[in-house]
């Protein structure tokens, strides 16, 4: 598992018991999330935009006001924001859906998009150009990490390795640091995430039908079944 530990454990815990029993789970986060030491200027904002749970957690640590609605991408981000005390509304499963819904319903603005240092989609710029005023501010950084010693050793083995990849930046890092000879089975949460992985020597690359944890779990479930049938033995995840 290449995500930060808490997110990885949450994902694995929601896999079917039968799938978990057939794999050895190895946690090797290749991206570390840390809040930035910044002051968030949200006094004039009429609402927040969250496109990741990482941004919500960073906003919590920076004591951003809960007295405004939060417009979120995906159920995990929305649930995290609700749990933190915001009036959170899921307005799309993807950034594209969020943009379309905000432009359709036109909430009070200006809005403030709190995001990571590295972000895709140009959400604030595109919404502002379409007449909905949105500012953006990075509130967390994403520090790239190498594979752990354990993950590196498994990569050099001959057992099948199943790697779920959840973001384009993580995919680029994984493609850069994977040098193993183990049979590699990949699950990507989106086509954009899959793109950097095409350069790797893999057995199979499966793209989730939707960029959601539910569809990623389904993709991993299918990969485990295929890998066990093709390779035999125990798979690592």
């Amino acid at each position: 598992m290449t995500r930060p530990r808490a997110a990885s454990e949450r994902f694995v815990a929601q896999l079917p018991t039968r799938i978990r029993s057939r794999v050895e789970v190895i946690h090797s986060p290749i991206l570390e999330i840390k809040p930035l030491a910044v002051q968030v200027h949200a006094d004039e904002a009429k609402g927040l935009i969250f496109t990741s749970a990482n941004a919500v957690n960073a906003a919590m640590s920076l004591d951003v006001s809960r007295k405004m609605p939060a417009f979120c991408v995906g159920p995990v981000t929305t649930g995290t924001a609700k749990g933190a005390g915001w009036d959170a509304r899921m307005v799309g499963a993807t950034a594209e859906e969020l943009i379309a819904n905000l432009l359709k319903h036109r909430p009070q603005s200006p809005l403030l998009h709190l995001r990571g240092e590295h972000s895709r989609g140009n959400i604030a710029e595109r919404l502002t150009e379409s007449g909905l005023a949105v500012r953006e501010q990075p509130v967390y950084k994403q520090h790239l990490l190498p594979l752990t010693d354990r993950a590196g050793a498994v990569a050099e083995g001959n057992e099948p390795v199943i790697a779920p990849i959840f973001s384009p930046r993580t995919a680029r890092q994984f493609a850069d640091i994977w040098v193993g000879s183990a049979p590699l089975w990949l699950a990507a949460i989106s086509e954009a995430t899959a793109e950097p992985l095409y350069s790797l020597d893999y057995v199979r690359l499966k793209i989730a039908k939707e960029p959601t944890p539910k569809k990623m779990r389904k993709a991993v479930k299918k990969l485990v079944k295929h890998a066990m049938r093709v390779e035999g033995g125990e798979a690592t995840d």
Side-chain angles (χ1 to χ4, degrees):
M1 294 300 298
T2 59
R3 305 179 87 186
R5 185 65 181 249
S8 287
E9 289 180 343
R10 183 168 59 244
F11 181 82
V12 171
Q14 293 174 341
L15 288 170
T17 302
R18 177 170 170 75
I19 296 299
R20 295 201 307 271
S21 69
R22 300 178 74 181
V23 300
E24 175 193 356
V25 178
I26 297 173
H27 293 281
S28 180
I30 59 176
L31 197 68
E32 182 180 34
I33 305 298
K34 289 188 176 181
L36 292 170
V38 296
Q39 183 176 358
V40 177
H41 301 285
D43 294 345
E44 296 182 2
K46 303 299 183 182
L48 301 173
I49 295 176
F50 289 125
T51 48
S52 75
N54 293 325
V56 177
N57 292 329
M60 290 171 57
S61 71
L62 295 168
D63 200 26
V64 176
S65 173
R66 289 8 176 228
K67 296 180 180 179
M68 64 185 88
F71 303 99
C72 304
V73 169
V76 173
T77 302
T78 306
T80 304
K82 284 182 178 179
W86 276 283
D87 174 17
R89 312 165 193 179
M90 178 175 160
V91 291
T94 66
E96 294 299 321
E97 289 181 3
L98 175 135
I99 290 171
N101 282 325
L102 289 179
L103 290 177
K104 178 180 179 180
H105 296 289
R106 301 265 172 183
Q108 278 190 300
S109 61
L111 303 177
L112 176 60
H113 180 201
L114 299 179
R115 59 171 181 79
E117 283 185 322
H118 300 274
S119 181
R120 293 173 54 87
N122 300 319
I123 290 173
E125 179 181 350
R126 291 168 63 188
L127 287 171
T128 299
E129 287 177 349
S130 297
L132 184 65
V134 179
R135 292 193 301 109
E136 62 181 349
Q137 182 176 354
V139 290
Y140 66 91
K141 60 183 176 180
Q142 303 118 309
H143 178 62
L144 298 174
L145 301 172
L147 292 175
T148 63
D149 290 344
R150 174 60 179 148
V154 168
E156 294 293 344
N158 53 23
E159 295 292 341
V161 173
I162 299 167
I165 309 293
F166 290 84
S167 74
R169 191 154 189 256
T170 303
R172 287 192 295 272
Q173 173 69 351
F174 187 83
D176 286 343
I177 63 178
W178 177 266
V179 293
S181 56
L184 184 60
W185 299 67
L186 296 165
I189 198 167
S190 66
E191 180 60 51
T193 299
E195 187 66 31
L197 303 173
Y198 290 134
S199 63
L200 293 171
D201 182 15
Y202 53 82
V203 178
R204 185 169 182 179
L205 169 57
K206 185 168 184 60
I207 302 173
K209 291 185 177 180
E210 295 175 5
T212 64
K214 180 179 179 180
K215 295 300 183 182
M216 275 293 279
R217 288 194 295 272
K218 188 171 183 179
V220 169
K221 179 180 174 181
K222 288 183 176 180
L223 284 183
V224 171
K225 289 181 177 179
H226 285 306
M228 296 295 287
R229 183 163 60 245
V230 172
E231 305 287 347
E234 183 181 65
T236 55
D237 187 358

